[in-house]
Amino acid sequence: MHNTHTIFQSIASKILSSKNELNIYGANYKQWMYIFKQIYDDKNNNLCTKSQLIVLPDQEMAEQTYEILSSLNLKNHPIQLQGLETSPYSSVVPSVSNMQKRFGILSHLVNNNKANIIITTAESLVLSTPPVDYFLNNKLTLNISDIIAPHDLALKLIELGYRPSVTVEEPGTFSKKGEIFDIFPTYGRPIRINYFDDMIEEFKFIDLKTNKTVKDQCQETIFIYTSVGNLTSDTFIKNFKNTIKNPGLRSKKKYDRRLEIFQSLNNNCLFETFPNMIPAFFETTSNLLDFFNNNNYIITLINEVELKQSILELKESLRMRHEELQNDNDSSDIVLSPEKIFNFNLLEQSNHSLAINVNAVKVITESTKNYSEEILLKLEGVSTFLAPSKKPTIDKTDQIKSSLDYIVNEFIESGLITISTYDEQSRDELIFFLEGIPNFIYLKNRVNFLYSKLDEGFYYKKENHLVLTASDLFAKKQI
């Protein structure tokens, strides 16, 4: 197999040499994910030692990006960081699960020195977070051979906001049964602790489907990060009460709702809309960029113009809705202002690391803002590349053969072909077609196969590299 990592070396070199901002034109976000895979995993550069923050305009694009990168088997597995996803002023109850996962990921970011790949949306990026120190100070480290009685461990977990449960089926829960102690951390897999008296003897991962341990090797040290339940601690309740001012009798419904919320917190219970009001529990807040080492991460903005427009539209829609709620004395909604929940000017205020803007993909580096550099990729769509091979009068199978025959003849002397398939069946089908072409033998060692969820390829003329997906050939619309 030919080494694809050398193909995009020039792009990697440009990124690593950029001082602040790099604009990359001519690639959509799916195409960029493939290129990112090649340069990220290349041992000839140190991109994989830097954390990557990839920001997309909306949730659908973020989910597709996460699926593609997950399927590409990167050295470091990507992490998807979600925001509220729904308006804090809508009637839709916000997801407690999403906020719990967000707390876990933020804890992970600030408490480990590994390079991470974080995929998020514009809305999630500008969503204010608890201060960084909160995640640094609220955690528990457990080691094999530690002496800590199960009862004492349970008390420490409760302090972190964890809930006792019969079985651990969701993050932020624990279960104590004799010499077996199960914990589902807010970040990572559920873990079973085997005790010998009051000494931790062994950690094992739990299979959630069977509630039995698995054979995977578990680390000798585990980190238990804070849960959202920790917000019912006295300090945070006091902050919340100081933030949510008495609306007065002019709005009796709001007045009564405020009392209900306070009573719930006094009983150590979070109210259902608390994810919309996280900043109210803290005297100060941080932003997502504060969780990265300034000199050792790269932020990639996909479709920057669309991304920034989505932030502006979010700001304006929330401003209007907030004004309506504030002026509606018949409403019982207790809400924070948009500026309290979000930092809409984060990208303009930040002076962090390298930024890449894809299509333009934007990469921002440490010096930022002084000047920008550009890369024009000139990627050609597969349908355009294969246009000379198209014969409208033949059936689908013959068209696939015609397209592959054209590809083989175009690459017979030089170039690299990467073929991405979803599964083994489509891979075997393509191999069967290719091996039926006599000249295929001359370029067989320059054809790479990979399994991924990439659904469209491209041709990079500068380096004579064709990325072909099963969808490019088998989908009717592509033929």
Side-chain angles (χ1 to χ4, degrees):
M1 291 294 190
H2 190 85
N3 181 8
T4 62
H5 292 168
T6 60
I7 294 296
F8 296 104
Q9 278 253 343
S10 59
I11 298 174
S13 298
K14 192 78 170 178
I15 291 174
L16 291 169
S17 64
S18 294
K19 299 299 181 184
N20 54 13
E21 190 171 294
L22 176 62
N23 294 322
I24 301 179
Y25 298 94
N28 65 37
Y29 72 102
K30 293 180 180 180
Q31 294 167 339
W32 177 251
M33 290 309 117
Y34 172 80
I35 297 172
F36 175 80
K37 151 74 175 175
Q38 305 308 324
I39 60 179
Y40 185 81
D41 280 352
D42 188 352
K43 63 183 179 181
N44 295 314
N45 65 61
N46 67 347
L47 274 180
C48 67
T49 66
K50 295 178 179 291
S51 285
Q52 309 286 329
L53 176 58
I54 302 173
V55 188
L56 296 106
D58 58 52
Q59 187 62 30
E60 182 179 356
M61 291 175 70
E63 288 176 357
Q64 290 176 346
T65 298
Y66 174 75
E67 289 182 1
I68 291 170
L69 286 184
S70 296
S71 70
L72 287 171
N73 294 317
L74 294 161
K75 288 180 181 177
N76 295 314
H77 192 78
I79 300 168
Q80 186 176 9
L81 179 67
Q82 296 177 316
L84 294 176
E85 295 189 15
T86 59
S87 168
Y89 308 134
S90 74
S91 59
V92 179
V93 177
S95 170
V96 175
S97 175
N98 281 356
M99 188 54 66
Q100 185 78 285
K101 291 176 183 176
R102 186 175 175 89
F103 268 45
I105 293 169
L106 293 174
S107 295
H108 169 73
L109 286 177
V110 79
N111 282 291
N112 83 95
N113 296 318
K114 296 180 181 178
N116 296 284
I117 303 173
I118 304 296
I119 298 166
T120 196
T121 62
E123 180 261 350
S124 175
L125 173 69
V126 298
L127 182 62
S128 295
T129 73
V132 171
D133 285 349
Y134 168 74
F135 296 102
L136 286 170
N137 298 331
N138 289 278
K139 64 181 179 181
L140 176 63
T141 304
L142 298 175
N143 299 286
I144 290 177
S145 298
D146 278 355
I147 306 296
I148 178 170
H151 175 73
D152 293 335
L153 176 56
L155 291 178
K156 287 183 177 293
L157 290 172
I158 290 171
E159 286 179 10
L160 288 175
Y162 283 66
R163 295 183 293 104
S165 178
V166 176
T167 58
V168 289
E169 297 180 355
E170 58 185 24
T173 58
F174 69 91
S175 175
K176 180 167 67 78
K177 297 175 183 177
E179 293 185 344
I180 294 177
F181 201 117
D182 295 345
I183 308 174
F184 199 153
T186 54
Y187 183 84
R189 298 163 65 182
I191 292 167
R192 177 160 294 165
I193 301 173
N194 289 324
Y195 267 97
F196 180 75
D197 289 333
D198 289 343
M199 184 185 78
I200 294 176
E201 188 175 41
E202 186 179 34
F203 297 126
K204 285 190 175 180
F205 291 123
I206 301 172
D207 183 340
L208 285 175
K209 293 180 180 178
T210 63
N211 201 36
K212 296 181 180 180
T213 57
V214 293
K215 294 180 180 179
D216 302 40
Q217 183 67 36
C218 193
Q219 59 265 43
E220 295 189 0
T221 300
I222 61 172
F223 301 97
I224 311 298
Y225 300 134
T226 186
S227 165
V228 293
N230 179 245
L231 296 177
T232 58
S233 300
D234 291 344
T235 300
F236 305 124
I237 291 177
K238 180 181 178 181
N239 290 335
F240 185 90
K241 290 180 176 179
N242 288 337
T243 301
I244 307 303
K245 304 300 182 184
N246 188 336
L249 294 178
R250 71 181 187 279
S251 177
K252 189 176 185 307
K253 290 184 178 179
K254 286 186 174 65
Y255 179 86
D256 291 341
R257 177 58 181 154
R258 178 174 176 268
L259 289 180
E260 288 176 10
I261 290 174
F262 285 6
Q263 187 59 51
S264 179
L265 292 174
N266 290 339
N267 292 331
N268 291 320
C269 293
L270 290 166
F271 51 100
E272 64 180 10
T273 59
F274 82 90
N276 295 336
M277 305 184 75
I278 295 296
F281 291 91
F282 301 91
E283 292 183 353
T284 61
T285 58
S286 293
N287 64 70
L288 181 54
L289 300 185
D290 293 331
F291 289 78
F292 293 87
N293 182 317
N294 282 8
N295 300 318
N296 202 37
Y297 84 96
I298 295 173
I299 176 171
T300 299
L301 307 178
I302 305 293
N303 298 359
E304 184 195 20
V305 173
E306 182 183 345
L307 189 152
K308 289 186 173 180
Q309 182 62 31
S310 71
I311 294 175
L312 288 174
E313 290 174 359
L314 175 67
K315 179 181 179 180
E316 181 60 18
S317 65
L318 293 182
R319 181 191 65 79
M320 293 174 63
R321 180 58 181 149
H322 181 253
E323 284 184 4
E324 290 175 6
L325 290 175
Q326 291 299 95
N327 295 327
D328 183 1
N329 289 330
D330 290 329
S331 168
S332 62
D333 292 325
I334 301 293
V335 295
L336 299 178
S337 68
E339 292 74 22
K340 186 77 173 176
I341 304 171
F342 296 95
N343 182 351
F344 296 109
N345 299 317
L346 178 60
L347 288 175
E348 287 70 29
Q349 294 169 348
S350 67
N351 195 32
H352 292 66
S353 200
L354 164 71
I356 303 177
N357 184 21
V358 177
N359 218 22
V361 175
K362 189 175 211 169
V363 186
I364 305 171
T365 59
E366 157 185 10
S367 312
T368 340
K369 311 297 181 194
N370 296 327
Y371 66 94
S372 62
E373 300 177 69
E374 295 181 355
I375 294 177
L376 180 58
L377 289 175
K378 294 184 178 179
L379 302 183
E380 185 178 303
V382 171
S383 59
T384 303
F385 177 78
L386 292 178
S389 72
K390 293 182 178 179
K391 300 175 182 179
T393 58
I394 62 177
D395 63 21
K396 182 177 179 179
T397 300
D398 287 339
Q399 180 61 69
I400 292 172
K401 291 178 181 178
S402 174
S403 296
L404 290 174
D405 186 65
Y406 175 78
I407 290 169
V408 167
N409 289 323
E410 286 294 304
F411 283 83
I412 196 167
E413 294 183 358
S414 65
L416 174 67
I417 300 172
T418 299
I419 300 177
S420 170
T421 61
Y422 291 121
D423 52 37
E424 193 171 342
Q425 181 180 348
S426 55
R427 178 182 183 272
D428 290 345
E429 283 185 63
L430 285 172
I431 290 175
F432 174 78
F433 281 125
L434 286 167
E435 291 184 340
I437 301 172
N439 288 335
F440 179 62
I441 191 172
Y442 298 111
L443 66 149
K444 192 171 184 178
N445 67 338
R446 289 183 281 114
V447 176
N448 293 281
F449 284 89
L450 79 147
Y451 295 112
S452 82
K453 292 189 177 181
L454 197 67
D455 60 8
E456 58 180 275
F458 60 88
Y459 175 58
Y460 187 32
K461 185 176 182 179
K462 180 180 178 181
E463 296 182 357
N464 201 21
H465 185 183
L466 175 67
V467 177
L468 185 69
T469 73
S471 298
D472 291 323
L473 290 171
F474 296 140
K476 290 182 179 179
K477 64 180 181 179
Q478 296 287 354
I479 299 175

